[in-house]
């Protein structure tokens, strides 16, 4: 009996170890999926969605975003939520009879393992510590500091553009300078690696021209996310500005058709893109 008991315990331990291994493999597969989505892109530099949005919004020589752009702050926060979902850290609660709409469903923690990105990990800690859970729209408002609740102000992510810009400086894409604007000095981040930005612009241009599939479910999900975020951050028009007039019109019309789709309908078609459509729904409502 003792040998049978020992064997039973050993099997139980093996079973537990197998479950842990499968969970670890699932997380690593999701991380690898980030690389596989854009198989044609450069393997030397890996940018997350927030870095790509900011890079698209920066003026190359000046090194700052347009003073008239008041959308990019919330766009970057939306990018954080999508990036966390794509990395398997968060997800939307399953739909129920009472909570079918994307904007009614709460953001739930799936894994609290660190991502290695300070902004992502800071957001992850906020989501983990929040009870009860909040919706996508509420999280975007909290992370941008657009809340009237003084007890929720600690959730605001501060100096997001500057922190993302510093990441891009470390990756050799931007540099840091000081510029004088009459009454004050401002830190700017001009683009030094124009090749990487041109690659990013070309990727989005081709996605709505040469590689257009007219079906978001067949699109590369990171490209879909970037198109949604670039539109919501008011930087998409500058992405297409170098195109000839006829191609510019085609690109803008296709992008417009994409972001005007019903997020509630599209979000039910594929669980991997639920967070993308939830973020778009939040921007459409705000």
């Amino acid at each position: 009996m003792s040998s049978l008991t020992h064997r039973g315990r050993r099997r139980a331990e093996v079973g537990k170890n197998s479950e842990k291994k499968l969970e670890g493999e699932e997380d690593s597969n999701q991380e690898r999926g980030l690389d596989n989505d854009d198989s044609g892109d450069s393997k030397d530099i890996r940018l997350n969605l927030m870095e790509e949005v900011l890079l698209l919004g920066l003026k190359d020589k000046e090194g700052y975003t347009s003073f008239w752009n008041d959308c990019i702050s919330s766009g970057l926060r939306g990018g954080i939520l999508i990036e966390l979902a794509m990395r398997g850290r968060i997800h939307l609660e399953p739909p129920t009879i009472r909570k079918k709409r994307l904007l009614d469903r709460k953001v739930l923690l799936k894994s609290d393992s660190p991502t290695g990105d300070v902004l992502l990990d800071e957001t992850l800690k906020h989501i983990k510590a929040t009870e009860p859970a909040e919706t996508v729209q509420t999280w975007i408002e909290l992370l941008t500091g657009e809340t009237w609740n003084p007890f929720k102000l600690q959730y605001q992510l501060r100096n997001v553009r500057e922190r993302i810009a510093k990441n891009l400086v470390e990756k050799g894409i931007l540099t840091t300078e000081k510029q004088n604007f009459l009454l004050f000095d401002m830190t700017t981040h001009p683009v030094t690696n124009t090749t990487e930005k041109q690659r990013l612009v070309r990727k989005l241009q081709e996605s709505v021209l040469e590689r257009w599939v007219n079906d978001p479910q067949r699109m590369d999900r990171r490209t879909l996310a970037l198109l949604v975020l670039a539109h919501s951050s008011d930087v998409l028009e500058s992405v297409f500005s170098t195109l000839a007039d006829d191609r510019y019109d085609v690109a803008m019309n296709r992008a417009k058709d994409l972001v005007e789709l019903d997020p509630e309908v599209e979000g039910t078609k594929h669980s991997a893109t639920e967070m993308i459509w939830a973020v778009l729904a939040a921007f459409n409502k705000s």
Side-chain angles (χ1 to χ4, degrees), residues 38 65 118 129 150 166 239:
D38 292 329
T65 58
V118 176
K166 287 182 178 179
V239 171

Side-chain angles (χ1 to χ4, degrees), residues 2 4 23-24 32 48 60 63-64 92 121 126 129-130 134 152 165 178 190 202 221 230 247 250 262 264 267 269 278:
S2 61
L4 288 174
E23 289 176 0
R32 284 197 296 270
N48 60 40
D60 288 7
Y64 52 81
L92 292 181
D121 291 341
H126 289 328
T130 301
E134 300 285 4
K152 301 277 189 176
K178 287 280 188 182
R202 188 167 59 251
R221 60 180 183 156
R247 287 168 62 82
V250 171
D262 186 347
E264 297 296 339
K269 294 180 181 178

Side-chain angles (χ1 to χ4, degrees), residues 55-115:
L55 184 57
L56 291 173
L58 283 175
K59 299 176 183 290
D60 288 7
K61 295 181 179 179
E62 293 86 348
Y64 52 81
T65 58
S66 171
F67 293 125
W68 308 108
N69 188 337
D70 57 357
C71 302
I72 195 167
S73 292
S74 55
L76 292 172
R77 272 68 171 189
I80 290 174
L81 295 178
I82 295 175
E83 189 73 43
L84 283 172
M86 286 187 170
R87 297 193 185 204
R89 301 309 195 272
I90 61 174
H91 65 105
L92 292 181
E93 64 178 336
T96 63
I97 295 176
R98 293 180 60 239
K99 291 185 177 182
K100 287 185 178 180
R101 295 174 64 250
L102 293 170
L103 292 183
D104 293 334
R105 292 156 60 189
K106 308 293 187 179
V107 176
L108 303 180
L109 184 72
K110 187 175 182 181
S111 168
D112 63 352
S113 59
T115 65

Side-chain angles (χ1 to χ4, degrees), residues 17 177 204 228 231 243 248:
N17 291 335
E177 295 180 355
L204 287 185
V228 167
H231 164 75
L243 295 170
Y248 172 86

Side-chain angles (χ1 to χ4, degrees), residues 81-265:
L81 295 178
I82 295 175
E83 189 73 43
L84 283 172
M86 286 187 170
R87 297 193 185 204
R89 301 309 195 272
I90 61 174
H91 65 105
L92 292 181
E93 64 178 336
T96 63
I97 295 176
R98 293 180 60 239
K99 291 185 177 182
K100 287 185 178 180
R101 295 174 64 250
L102 293 170
L103 292 183
D104 293 334
R105 292 156 60 189
K106 308 293 187 179
V107 176
L108 303 180
L109 184 72
K110 187 175 182 181
S111 168
D112 63 352
S113 59
T115 65
D117 182 278
V118 176
L119 283 172
L120 293 179
D121 291 341
E122 188 176 333
T123 304
L124 204 57
K125 288 180 181 179
H126 289 328
I127 293 174
K128 181 181 179 181
T130 301
E131 187 65 37
E134 300 285 4
T135 64
V136 167
Q137 184 171 12
T138 300
W139 270 119
I140 292 175
E141 293 170 354
L142 292 175
L143 296 174
T144 53
E146 296 177 356
T147 175
W148 294 103
N149 189 339
F151 299 104
K152 301 277 189 176
L153 290 176
Q154 73 270 21
Y155 294 127
Q156 181 182 3
L157 296 179
R158 301 183 182 278
N159 303 317
V160 168
R161 293 188 217 187
E162 182 64 22
R163 292 159 76 180
I164 296 173
K166 287 182 178 179
N167 289 344
L168 291 170
V169 170
E170 291 177 0
K171 293 181 179 182
I173 298 175
L174 306 180
T175 188
T176 302
E177 295 180 355
K178 287 280 188 182
Q179 286 196 30
N180 180 268
F181 288 87
L182 296 178
L183 299 177
F184 62 94
D185 290 332
M186 186 175 82
T187 302
T188 60
H189 299 282
V191 178
T192 54
N193 187 343
T194 55
T195 301
E196 184 63 20
K197 182 168 183 178
Q198 289 168 0
R199 179 199 67 80
L200 189 58
V201 168
R202 188 167 59 251
K203 176 177 115 174
L204 287 185
Q205 290 177 350
E206 291 177 353
S207 70
V208 294
L209 292 172
E210 285 78 12
R211 292 188 290 166
W212 181 245
V213 292
N214 201 29
D215 180 5
Q217 304 304 319
R218 293 167 54 203
M219 291 180 66
D220 163 64
R221 60 180 183 156
R222 290 190 70 83
T223 302
L224 172 64
L226 187 55
L227 282 169
V228 167
L229 291 170
H231 164 75
S232 303
S233 302
D234 199 20
V235 299
L236 193 55
E237 188 173 350
S238 63
V239 171
F240 300 143
S241 62
T242 58
L243 295 170
D245 289 348
D246 55 338
R247 287 168 62 82
Y248 172 86
D249 290 338
V250 171
M252 286 298 293
N253 287 333
R254 287 177 175 175
K256 181 181 178 183
D257 290 342
L258 178 67
V259 298
E260 287 183 350
L261 291 171
D262 186 347
E264 297 296 339
V265 174

